[in-house]
Amino acid sequence: MVRFFRFSGIDTSTSNVAEEGVSKERNSAFKRCVNDCVELLELLGMPVLKANGEAEALCAQLNRDGHVDACITADSDAFLFGATCVIKSLRPNSKEPFECYNMSDIEAGLGLKRKHLIAVSLLVGNDHDLNGVQGIGLDKALRLVRGFSEDEIFDKLYEIGKGHVPLFQGEIRCAGDAIPCSDESSPKAKQSHCSFCGHPGSKKAHFKSCCEYCITDSNDGCLKKSQGFKCNCSSCDKVRKDKDKKKHENWWINVCNLISKETKFPNDEIIEMYMCNNHGEFTEEGPLLEWGDPKTDLLVDFLAYHQSWKPSYIRQRMLPMLSTLYLRELARNPNKTLLVGQYEFRSIQRVKIRYGHQYYEVKWKKAISNELSCAVPVEQSNMLEEEFIEVGDEPIGLLDESIEPQIHVDGCWILTDENPELVHSAFPEEALKFRQEKELKDMKRRKTSTPRSEGSFEMSESSKPQGVQLSITEFYRTTKTPSQAKLGEDLVKQSSSPGVGSSKQKRKVSGSKFSKAVRRRLLFG
């Protein structure tokens, strides 16, 4: 609980703190909240297990033993307790509703196993030891633990903690040796190098004849070395390897010295806690993880008392959960026929897309008509007409549907959004019929759209210029219809006769629906 006080900024010297470092008032309020949550989960029909210690430890044990598929937690300690799959950052309002991490991916990508992760937590700090080893961060810890296998990592940490420093040479472990081991012969003295070309040999000899490393067309001498030149001869390569080895050994000795300064490192209690495989009290048959049916009436009373919600609102929010459980149970037991004891499956209305996922809009009809109100009474609302566009083969809204499943209650029928796989499992015949009808509609739609596309193609072909592009005068001659030409000739004849009528005809022509260029040509030839 020291972590809570540190990050919350509470002064432990002035606050009412119990012997274990926990505020008595906060502890009692937390217990009440936990008890309320347990009661709510039990009313929902979910199994509740009590852990001996950390909740993540029990979840990880259930995941490791195969009782559950994953652990839902934001605490990364779940992997240290042995979890194989962890789900965190739940975001139901997005196309990626959660983040999923697998231990197999960590092992393949980082080369770290469970004991490696525990060793890293001991070095950099964890929930039970916030400080870790002073001066060692994540990069140093990863580089250190990768040098040992999972079976020997804890033993090596114990040796380092006692002051016994295992020496390294490159990536070859030489634990327990007093001096660095090497399978190579002792390094030879570095050869002299030419100051002009940088290769082994003397400058005087290279002026007389070209060295074996410099290849030139003429035998005038070696080439001058470029800036930043590095010789790749065996002698220089050996020197560079020795420098890298010395640098690594110095780093290794410094890290081991930092670890040896810590008292009681590594902490045995933390290691035993993470490696423990008994975090809950189970029967001989194992944990009881059977889901039960939600207790609807008690749930309504519970939420109305604690949240001050209206019963109609509670029942409306519970319907998506009840319909999903109904479909799952119906897939296993086809004898169950009524949703919440009153509604029967009627039809699949359409396909909806919500955040990239498909849903079926299912229509339920009340099986028994009586004077009682519907099981999910909500205020009647006018259903707005929605516009749809075609994306692929599915008609969907201009935007994705709202996040929450839509529920409409109208007299004796309701509409809910359901998972297509569940609907296919529960009502295979109705789902197959809906698919066939939908394919038939799509086929008819494609057939009706084909003539339109062909007509538009012919129009586009006729509008294309043939041969050389026409001049503006030729264009008007070719595009003018016979009726327009005849009308133009009559107007010209009338305009040539003197009198008042000519001005009227001009005004009539100017006020016609022809374009300005056409009127000018008709009037002035």
Side-chain angles (χ1 to χ4, degrees):
M1 293 300 173
V2 177
R3 177 180 55 169
F4 167 76
F5 288 109
R6 175 178 297 182
F7 289 103
S8 59
I10 298 177
D11 186 6
T12 57
S13 60
T14 58
S15 60
N16 182 19
V17 179
E19 294 180 359
E20 298 181 357
V22 184
S23 173
K24 293 181 179 180
E25 297 179 358
R26 176 182 174 273
N27 193 23
S28 60
F30 179 74
K31 286 183 178 180
R32 288 195 301 270
C33 181
V34 170
N35 293 333
D36 292 341
C37 292
V38 170
E39 184 180 358
L40 176 60
L41 293 175
E42 290 178 345
L43 292 176
L44 289 170
M46 298 177 63
V48 179
L49 302 178
K50 186 176 181 181
N52 294 334
E54 293 283 341
E56 289 83 4
L58 178 57
C59 294
Q61 180 182 347
L62 296 174
N63 182 215
R64 184 179 64 253
D65 296 340
H67 298 294
V68 297
D69 296 327
C71 303
I72 302 177
T73 177
D75 198 338
S76 58
D77 282 356
F79 284 122
L80 309 185
F81 286 111
T84 59
C85 181
V86 175
I87 294 176
K88 61 179 298 187
S89 300
L90 291 174
R91 297 183 298 268
N93 302 347
S94 63
K95 292 184 177 180
E96 297 180 358
F98 58 85
E99 297 177 9
C100 183
Y101 301 92
N102 293 284
M103 190 64 191
S104 58
D105 296 335
I106 297 176
E107 293 178 359
L110 301 177
L112 301 176
K113 296 187 177 181
R114 179 184 176 186
K115 292 183 179 180
H116 288 132
L117 296 178
I118 296 175
V120 171
S121 70
L122 295 173
L123 293 170
V124 302
N126 51 73
D127 289 347
H128 309 278
D129 180 16
L130 297 178
N131 297 322
V133 178
Q134 297 296 327
I136 295 184
L138 183 59
D139 293 336
K140 288 183 178 180
L142 289 174
R143 184 179 175 185
L144 174 67
V145 300
R146 282 172 176 168
F148 302 106
S149 65
E150 186 183 21
D151 297 333
E152 63 180 355
I153 181 64
F154 289 154
D155 295 335
K156 297 306 177 182
L157 290 181
Y158 280 117
E159 291 182 12
I160 298 173
K162 294 177 181 179
H164 304 292
V165 180
L167 297 179
F168 274 59
Q169 180 183 358
E171 296 298 328
I172 303 175
R173 293 183 292 277
C174 309
D177 295 344
I179 58 174
C181 64
S182 176
D183 56 354
E184 298 180 3
S185 60
S186 60
K188 300 179 181 180
K190 184 178 179 180
Q191 301 178 3
S192 60
H193 283 60
C194 174
S195 60
F196 183 75
C197 68
H199 295 132
S202 63
K203 184 176 181 181
K204 182 177 180 181
H206 288 187
F207 271 125
K208 295 180 180 179
S209 62
C210 177
C211 70
E212 59 180 337
Y213 297 97
C214 294
I215 301 175
T216 58
D217 296 337
S218 61
N219 198 18
D220 297 337
C222 294
L223 300 175
K224 186 177 181 180
K225 62 181 178 181
S226 60
Q227 187 177 3
F229 170 81
K230 289 183 179 181
C231 180
N232 294 324
C233 67
S234 59
S235 176
C236 294
D237 187 55
K238 181 63 178 177
V239 171
R240 284 193 292 268
K241 288 182 179 179
D242 292 340
K243 288 182 179 180
D244 293 339
K245 174 186 171 183
K246 188 66 177 178
K247 181 180 178 181
H248 178 75
E249 289 178 352
N250 292 335
W251 176 88
W252 172 247
I253 293 173
N254 292 334
V255 172
C256 292
N257 290 335
L258 292 174
I259 296 175
S260 61
K261 292 179 182 179
E262 296 293 327
T263 58
K264 297 181 179 180
F265 183 88
N267 193 316
D268 294 332
E269 296 180 357
I270 296 178
I271 294 177
E272 293 177 359
M273 178 192 62
Y274 283 137
M275 296 300 298
C276 178
N277 294 323
N278 186 15
H279 299 284
E281 298 178 358
F282 307 140
T283 61
E284 296 180 357
E285 299 178 355
L288 299 176
L289 297 176
E290 295 182 359
W291 287 66
D293 294 331
K295 301 175 183 178
T296 308
D297 296 335
L298 295 178
L299 270 173
V300 172
D301 296 338
F302 179 86
L303 295 175
Y305 174 77
H306 289 278
Q307 301 294 333
S308 300
W309 291 348
K310 294 182 179 180
S312 60
Y313 176 80
I314 299 172
R315 293 180 183 275
Q316 179 185 3
R317 294 300 174 184
M318 287 171 53
L319 184 59
M321 175 190 68
L322 297 176
S323 62
T324 300
L325 295 176
Y326 168 78
L327 292 175
R328 290 178 180 174
E329 182 63 25
L330 190 62
R332 293 191 297 265
N333 182 19
N335 297 328
K336 193 173 183 179
T337 57
L338 296 181
L339 172 63
V340 296
Q342 299 187 46
Y343 293 90
E344 62 181 358
F345 179 87
R346 179 62 182 269
S347 62
I348 302 174
Q349 298 295 106
R350 61 188 178 99
V351 177
K352 299 175 66 174
I353 304 295
R354 188 166 64 245
Y355 287 108
H357 301 282
Q358 289 188 358
Y359 291 88
Y360 281 169
E361 186 180 68
V362 178
K363 185 175 182 179
W364 308 84
K365 184 180 180 181
K366 197 169 184 179
I368 304 174
S369 59
N370 49 32
E371 297 180 357
L372 297 177
S373 59
C374 294
V376 188
V378 295
E379 297 181 358
Q380 298 287 338
S381 59
N382 296 329
M383 297 176 59
L384 300 178
E385 296 182 358
E386 301 177 85
E387 296 181 1
F388 292 92
I389 58 175
E390 293 290 335
V391 177
D393 295 331
E394 300 295 342
I396 64 173
L398 292 176
L399 297 175
D400 283 345
E401 305 288 350
S402 63
I403 302 163
E404 301 174 355
Q406 298 298 312
I407 306 167
H408 301 291
V409 179
D410 184 11
C412 294
W413 61 270
I414 56 177
L415 293 175
T416 60
D417 298 344
E418 306 296 344
N419 187 301
E421 295 181 359
L422 287 178
V423 178
H424 283 289
S425 300
F427 302 99
E429 297 180 359
E430 291 80 357
L432 179 61
K433 181 180 178 182
F434 172 76
R435 280 187 172 182
Q436 293 176 350
E437 292 177 353
K438 185 177 180 304
E439 291 177 358
L440 184 61
K441 290 180 181 179
D442 294 340
M443 189 180 300
K444 290 182 179 180
R445 188 185 302 112
R446 285 192 291 268
K447 288 182 179 179
T448 54
S449 61
T450 302
R452 296 179 182 178
S453 60
E454 292 177 355
S456 60
F457 178 76
E458 293 176 358
M459 291 176 61
S460 62
E461 288 292 335
S462 61
S463 62
K464 290 182 180 179
Q466 299 179 357
V468 183
Q469 182 176 356
L470 302 177
S471 63
I472 188 67
T473 55
E474 293 174 345
F475 174 79
Y476 276 115
R477 290 195 187 100
T478 55
T479 57
K480 189 187 303 181
T481 60
S483 59
Q484 292 177 349
K486 185 177 180 180
L487 179 61
E489 292 176 359
D490 296 339
L491 291 175
V492 170
K493 290 180 181 180
Q494 294 177 4
S495 61
S496 60
S497 60
V500 184
S502 61
S503 61
K504 291 183 180 180
Q505 293 293 337
K506 288 183 180 180
R507 286 195 297 271
K508 184 176 181 181
V509 171
S510 62
S512 64
K513 296 182 179 179
F514 298 130
S515 64
K516 186 176 181 180
V518 174
R519 294 199 306 269
R520 184 183 297 110
R521 183 172 179 80
L522 293 175
L523 291 174
F524 302 106

